[in-house]
Amino acid sequence: MKNHTSLMEQVRSGYVYFDGGMGTLLQEQGLAAGELPERWNLSHPEIIAGIHRSYLEAGCHILKANTFGANALKYEEEELSAVITAAIDLARGVIRDVCGGDSSASAVGSAPADGTSACEGSNAGKSVCEDATAAATPQPQAYVALDVGPTGKLLQPLGDLAFEDAVELFARTIRLGAAAGADLILIETMNDSYEMKAAVLAAKENCDLPVFATCAYDESGKLMTGASPAAMVALLEGLRVDALGVNCSLGPLQMLPVVRELTAHASVPVIVNPNAGLPHVENGRTVYDVGPAEFADAMTQIAACGARILGGCCGTTPAHMHAMIGSTAQTDPVPLSDKNETLISSYTNAVRFGAKPILIGERINPTGKKRFQQALRERDMEYILAQGLSQQENGAHVLDVNVGLPEIDEEATMDEVVRTLQSVCDLPLQIDTTDVRAMETALRHYNGKPMVNSVNGKQEVMHEIFPLVRKYGGLVVGLLLDEDGIPETVEGRLAIARRIYDTAAEYGIPQKDIILDALTMTVSTDDRAGMVTLETVRRITEEYHGLTSLGVSNISFGLPERGSVNAAFFLMTMTAGLSAAIMNPASLPMREAYYSFCALHADDPQCMDYIGFATGSEMQERRALLSGGGNAGAGAGTGAAGANAAVGAAGGANSAAGSTVGSAGEGGAEDPLVHAIRKGLKEQAAALAGEALEAGTAPLALIDTKMIPALDEVGKGFEKKTVFLPQLLMSAEAAKAAFAVLRRFMEEHGTAGEKKGKVVIATVKGDIHDIGKNIVKALLENYDFDVIDLGKDVPPETVVEAVVREHAPLAGLSALMTTTVPAMEETIRQLRESAPWCKVVVGGAVMTQKYADMIGADHYARDAMETVRYAEEVMREAAESAAAQGCK
């Protein structure tokens, strides 16, 4: 533990430097396309040690062990143990040799042991090693990080890897690394927040080492599955990581917007490990376009933004690290500070408390709702999902989830509802249960940082819930009641508030992660009830600088025209400083009060949210009714969620798809089948497709006028970064369910049409990461292409054989790792020789347009939807060519 403590002390006292890339240097030393780099720990230990030595001599403090891809999906247990143990031993041995003494408590050496090292022949150049004495900045200690990369699989419900299976996969690697003597765990290059959570939990549950976590963001500043930097700060700080940040995917200058967002919200140290720009091929070698001097200049800018753990990723060399250290060491790091910011998050965006009031939708709750109770008993998830989606469309920022019925298994039901709701809705959730087991299961499987409803002043309750929040993260609702009930006085409630704050602090939970419910009693039985609540809210806000929430509608229980009373009281509580309200977002009077208050309270720039609400369909229908304007339908919500509430959000409540597509019903309402596909409601989409067929609608008409337009709309949102991968895939699943109904109908009636064309897809030799390929497959199949999926780690000869056999007009190749791009190039070369008619589209995390051009691809697809667009273009050209040939 002493070494772990000294590492964090070193981070707090100044800059700490990671090393740079490993894989690209191994390629230069002869690592073959598709060869697993970790095996070189056993077969070529002198090369691995030489690279580590070069980084130490350049002044780096943390060596990443050569374990990035070491997991049980690639290695059997015995070999996994051997490569991990060898990796840690090699790094530790080099530290001992270069620095002297104990390897994890030794000064970083300032001079090379001799004039040669693994940086010879690399982009680093021999001169870096020879000149290390002048360049390096000696620091007191050096450390070994167990480097943990992604599994290459999507987690359920988007993929086939169960969350707990992912935790165990990571746990096996982490247990081996900790036993071998790693000083810290580095979880890096994660592009899915849920997989990151699985890895962090595995680390926290299987060792006591510091945990550093970095993600790979794309050009839009999002993860592949949609999370913003602020959302990842909320999640990772909630899980109590020791440092967080960004690595890979981008060059240092392209990372600046992400770094600024991370440092704006993070209270823990921020890590930045960029690539050396973008890769391309020169003379058969993968090279990067940012040299050491340019890299150092950019990293100095990054350091000025507040990052203090700096290093490199793909394409960076000892020369890059040497230059970066020499440049940044001349500056003082930005002091670490607690941002004192309250964030919760979903899988895409964060919601910040403390600025404008937050609306928490109350409708996913069986209390007093017979239809909802029936849905819970019958496991009618589509009904429950519809309740969540309608509240999102009506402007809720957070959804309360309560499934408490005596006759059901609350733990299993809560887990299912939370997982399923998160698959179609990107709002953060408030987990509302008194069942501790249900609470823990939901917190463990929730993708993000939720609200936790609730604790109260009873010690027993706090000692049950606070340990869960300490482990999983969350914003805890504290009810101001205890064993004696709800105090009648303000002072009595404030005493409980202080007790909740103090007990939370004992568990390391800061006040910013507590939101106090001042409790609302009905004025029909106590005419002072409202005033006591208002004064409690005001004093918590002003004296404690705390957050408050209320179930506002309780105030009017037993009174007629409750909506008017609720709206008036809501305005009063917001004026008193209320942070969040649990309410029915469909209530027009409540939304009138909310949007009016925000506009008048300077929480709505240019009054845009208010204008959106006031000119929306419901207000128009109300005006029509008041003026005797005839029939008015049950208009859709405005969807004005309040842009200032969401931090790094992807479009607030309208993030699913934007404008209405397909045929519309009365009053311009969206077609139900289009809506079901856009929202990812599989059962509903299948049922509606069946109903349309029974009503006499032709299958092709359904496809052309409803299903394809719905998919196109979601696809356009995905391309514009207003819709993210989970929503895209769930929409594809809903469309697939509807297509299955149509396909059965057409087969029964002998009208099944031909597929659009054949596409062969594969992840190239040596690469076991099939996330991108599987996403492309799902979308191509929904657009009615005939997809021949060859799987992952596919040799070039197998791809060629399939293309020739099927005479496929298009082949799609995917690669995630830089080391497997040569295999992609070889596959393209063989296709050109044996199947010259076949077009080749390439994609993957390491690919760029320049890279694609260099290896001879016909098209580079930035995402899955672009692959679909290109496939349509290729098939159209093939059909036109065939038609032209037929006319000759």
Side-chain angles (χ1 to χ4, degrees):
M1 183 62 70
K2 180 180 178 181
N3 292 337
H4 314 157
T5 302
S6 62
L7 167 61
M8 296 315 298
E9 288 175 349
Q10 192 168 337
V11 170
R12 285 187 286 271
S13 65
Y15 291 120
V16 169
Y17 298 108
F18 267 109
D19 60 9
M22 172 67 75
T24 43
L25 294 181
L26 291 182
Q27 282 183 302
E28 293 182 358
Q29 296 289 333
L31 181 73
E35 187 177 1
L36 295 178
E38 297 81 21
R39 285 189 172 136
W40 277 42
N41 298 331
L42 302 173
S43 62
H44 299 80
E46 71 288 350
I47 293 177
I48 304 297
I51 293 173
H52 286 326
R53 178 183 297 274
S54 297
Y55 281 122
L56 275 185
E57 291 169 348
C60 298
H61 304 133
I62 303 177
L63 297 179
K64 298 189 287 283
N66 184 33
T67 56
F68 177 80
N71 61 57
L73 293 176
K74 296 181 181 178
Y75 297 93
E76 295 297 329
E77 187 66 29
E78 184 177 347
E79 186 179 17
L80 181 65
S81 177
V83 297
I84 290 175
T85 300
I88 302 297
D89 287 347
L90 284 169
R92 187 167 296 290
V94 169
I95 293 175
R96 184 168 49 247
D97 291 344
V98 173
C99 305
D102 180 75
S103 63
S104 61
S106 303
V108 176
S110 59
D114 54 49
T116 61
S117 77
C119 62
E120 284 193 29
S122 74
N123 290 341
K126 181 178 177 181
S127 61
V128 174
C129 298
E130 293 175 340
D131 195 37
T133 302
T137 303
Q139 291 292 336
Q141 297 192 25
Y143 307 90
V144 179
L146 176 71
D147 191 2
V148 179
T151 63
K153 288 183 170 291
L154 275 176
L155 274 62
Q156 295 175 352
L158 304 180
D160 58 5
L161 182 61
F163 181 82
E164 295 299 342
D165 289 344
V167 174
E168 179 55 27
L169 270 173
F170 289 119
R172 291 168 71 178
T173 296
I174 287 163
R175 286 192 293 265
L176 290 168
D183 296 308
L184 69 148
I185 309 297
L186 171 65
I187 303 166
E188 66 168 344
T189 323
M190 291 290 175
N191 53 23
D192 175 16
S193 59
Y194 208 31
E195 185 175 24
M196 173 63 88
K197 180 172 182 174
V200 172
L201 286 177
K204 291 288 186 177
E205 292 173 351
N206 289 277
C207 72
D208 62 356
L209 302 176
V211 178
F212 290 7
T214 62
C215 296
Y217 297 88
D218 64 18
E219 297 89 342
S220 71
K222 309 286 187 182
L223 301 191
M224 178 186 69
T225 50
S228 68
M232 292 310 299
V233 170
L235 170 65
L236 292 172
E237 289 196 343
L239 292 170
R240 295 344 191 239
V241 302
D242 297 281
L244 59 85
V246 54
N247 80 292
C248 205
S249 291
L250 303 171
L253 288 178
Q254 289 74 34
M255 278 187 180
L256 273 170
V258 171
V259 174
R260 291 189 181 106
E261 187 171 347
L262 289 172
T263 55
H265 300 293
S267 298
V268 300
V270 170
I271 308 163
V272 182
N273 290 336
N275 289 347
L278 299 175
H280 59 277
V281 176
E282 288 183 5
N283 300 319
R285 296 171 55 244
T286 299
V287 298
Y288 286 74
D289 60 8
V290 174
E294 184 181 354
F295 186 86
D297 289 344
M299 293 302 287
T300 303
Q301 295 181 53
I302 283 172
C305 292
R308 63 170 49 213
I309 305 176
L310 308 174
C313 200
C314 301
T316 59
T317 66
H320 289 80
M321 299 303 99
H322 153 236
M324 174 190 72
I325 293 167
S327 178
T328 57
Q330 307 305 314
T331 67
D332 293 326
V334 175
L336 291 170
S337 64
D338 185 348
K339 302 305 189 296
N340 197 32
E341 186 175 50
T342 299
L343 296 175
I344 63 171
S345 65
S346 67
Y347 64 85
T348 58
N349 55 272
V351 169
R352 180 166 59 92
F353 287 71
K356 67 190 299 182
I358 300 301
L359 303 182
I360 303 172
E362 67 181 8
R363 303 302 295 170
I364 303 179
N365 190 317
T367 306
K369 304 181 185 74
K370 292 183 178 180
R371 178 65 186 90
F372 194 89
Q373 293 171 11
Q374 178 187 354
L376 288 175
R377 294 188 187 100
E378 297 175 355
R379 295 183 67 253
D380 184 355
M381 287 295 143
E382 297 279 326
Y383 179 83
I384 297 170
L385 295 181
Q387 297 302 304
L389 292 171
S390 67
Q391 292 182 96
Q392 181 181 31
E393 291 169 353
N394 281 321
H397 305 116
V398 182
L399 300 180
D400 182 78
V401 179
N402 185 313
V403 298
L405 278 182
E407 64 268 36
I408 69 171
D409 183 340
E410 185 172 352
E411 180 183 1
T413 303
M414 176 67 85
D415 190 31
E416 182 179 13
V417 169
V418 166
R419 288 177 186 248
T420 308
L421 191 58
Q422 283 208 291
S423 72
V424 300
C425 177
D426 64 353
L427 294 185
L429 304 182
Q430 175 172 273
I431 300 170
D432 184 356
T433 180
T434 58
D435 185 318
V436 177
R437 290 186 306 170
M439 179 66 79
E440 177 162 19
T441 300
L443 286 175
R444 185 174 182 85
H445 294 157
Y446 178 79
N447 190 356
K449 178 185 175 184
M451 294 185 70
V452 177
N453 191 6
S454 58
V455 300
N456 54 50
K458 299 176 184 178
Q459 290 295 326
E460 177 186 0
V461 174
M462 288 190 283
H463 292 314
E464 287 178 333
I465 299 300
F466 283 147
L468 301 182
V469 176
R470 170 70 187 176
K471 178 175 182 178
Y472 298 110
L475 172 60
V476 187
V477 178
L479 306 179
L480 299 186
L481 59 85
D482 59 13
E483 293 85 351
D484 299 321
I486 302 173
E488 296 182 356
T489 66
V490 174
E491 290 299 334
R493 297 186 192 187
L494 293 180
I496 296 175
R498 288 191 292 271
R499 191 186 316 159
I500 292 172
Y501 282 148
D502 291 344
T503 307
E506 294 174 8
Y507 288 93
I509 300 170
Q511 180 176 316
K512 67 181 180 181
D513 280 339
I514 303 292
I515 183 167
L516 299 173
D517 189 329
L519 299 175
T520 309
M521 308 300 290
T522 178
V523 293
S524 64
T525 58
D526 180 0
D527 57 9
R528 294 283 304 166
M531 299 308 296
V532 171
T533 298
L534 288 169
E535 182 63 9
T536 303
V537 169
R538 185 190 66 78
R539 290 188 61 183
I540 290 171
T541 303
E542 295 180 359
E543 296 178 17
Y544 295 172
H545 306 291
L547 299 171
T548 54
S549 70
L550 281 176
V552 177
S553 60
N554 293 341
I555 194 72
S556 65
F557 187 79
L559 295 176
E561 298 295 332
R562 293 183 63 188
S564 299
V565 178
N566 293 343
F569 186 61
F570 188 26
L571 273 173
M572 296 170 74
T573 59
M574 289 188 287
T575 303
L578 184 69
S579 308
I582 303 175
M583 45 85 78
N584 179 7
S587 168
L588 197 56
M590 292 290 278
R591 281 187 286 153
E592 282 185 296
Y594 177 75
Y595 291 114
S596 299
F597 172 84
C598 290
L600 295 169
H601 201 252
D603 288 328
D604 182 7
Q606 290 80 52
C607 301
M608 294 305 295
D609 288 342
Y610 175 81
I611 292 169
F613 167 73
T615 58
S617 58
E618 284 179 289
M619 293 298 287
Q620 293 177 15
E621 289 166 6
R622 177 202 255 188
R623 285 190 287 271
L625 284 172
L626 291 174
S627 63
N631 294 332
T638 64
N644 290 338
V647 182
N654 272 337
S655 63
S659 59
T660 299
V661 298
S663 58
E666 292 284 331
E670 184 176 40
D671 178 87
L673 179 55
V674 171
H675 177 84
I677 291 173
R678 280 204 310 108
K679 296 297 185 180
L681 303 175
K682 293 185 290 186
E683 294 177 14
Q684 190 178 116
L688 288 167
E691 291 173 7
L693 292 172
E694 290 177 7
T697 306
L700 291 179
L702 279 177
I703 293 171
D704 292 340
T705 65
K706 299 180 189 294
M707 297 168 66
I708 294 298
L711 283 172
D712 280 344
E713 189 68 22
V714 176
K716 290 174 183 175
F718 181 71
E719 291 168 334
K720 295 176 181 176
K721 303 299 183 182
T722 59
V723 170
F724 296 100
L725 183 62
Q727 298 156 295
L728 179 73
L729 292 182
M730 295 312 294
S731 293
E733 286 295 307
K736 185 176 180 180
F739 271 121
V741 173
L742 269 60
R743 192 165 289 119
R744 284 195 300 269
F745 180 89
M746 290 189 290
E747 289 172 354
E748 290 169 1
H749 292 77
T751 58
E754 294 184 0
K755 296 278 188 177
K756 287 183 177 178
K758 294 182 178 182
V759 183
V760 173
I761 62 172
T763 301
V764 297
K765 176 66 178 175
D767 203 323
I768 68 162
H769 301 86
D770 58 0
I771 291 176
K773 174 187 67 64
N774 291 344
I775 295 167
V776 168
K777 177 184 178 181
L779 292 185
L780 285 171
E781 287 181 338
N782 272 288
Y783 278 79
D784 214 26
F785 289 94
D786 186 2
V787 180
I788 297 94
D789 181 3
L790 301 180
K792 59 194 177 186
D793 190 17
V794 181
E797 296 78 10
T798 304
V799 177
V800 172
E801 179 184 340
V803 168
V804 171
R805 182 182 65 247
E806 302 292 341
H807 201 77
L810 180 63
L813 304 177
S814 175
L816 180 72
M817 303 187 304
T818 305
T819 54
T820 59
V821 174
M824 182 180 282
E825 184 177 16
E826 174 61 19
T827 304
I828 294 173
R829 187 191 67 78
Q830 293 192 24
L831 282 170
R832 294 290 181 248
E833 290 181 357
S834 303
W837 67 84
C838 181
K839 299 290 187 182
V840 181
V841 57
V842 297
V846 299
M847 295 305 300
T848 64
Q849 183 64 62
K850 189 174 182 179
Y851 219 163
D853 293 340
M854 289 282 187
I855 63 176
D858 295 293
H859 189 81
Y860 162 61
R862 292 170 299 172
D863 53 48
M865 276 308 303
E866 187 168 338
T867 304
V868 172
R869 308 288 187 225
Y870 183 65
E872 290 179 323
E873 178 186 326
V874 169
M875 299 308 168
R876 185 168 55 251
E877 291 176 355
E880 291 172 354
S881 176
Q885 291 293 326
C887 293
K888 290 182 179 180

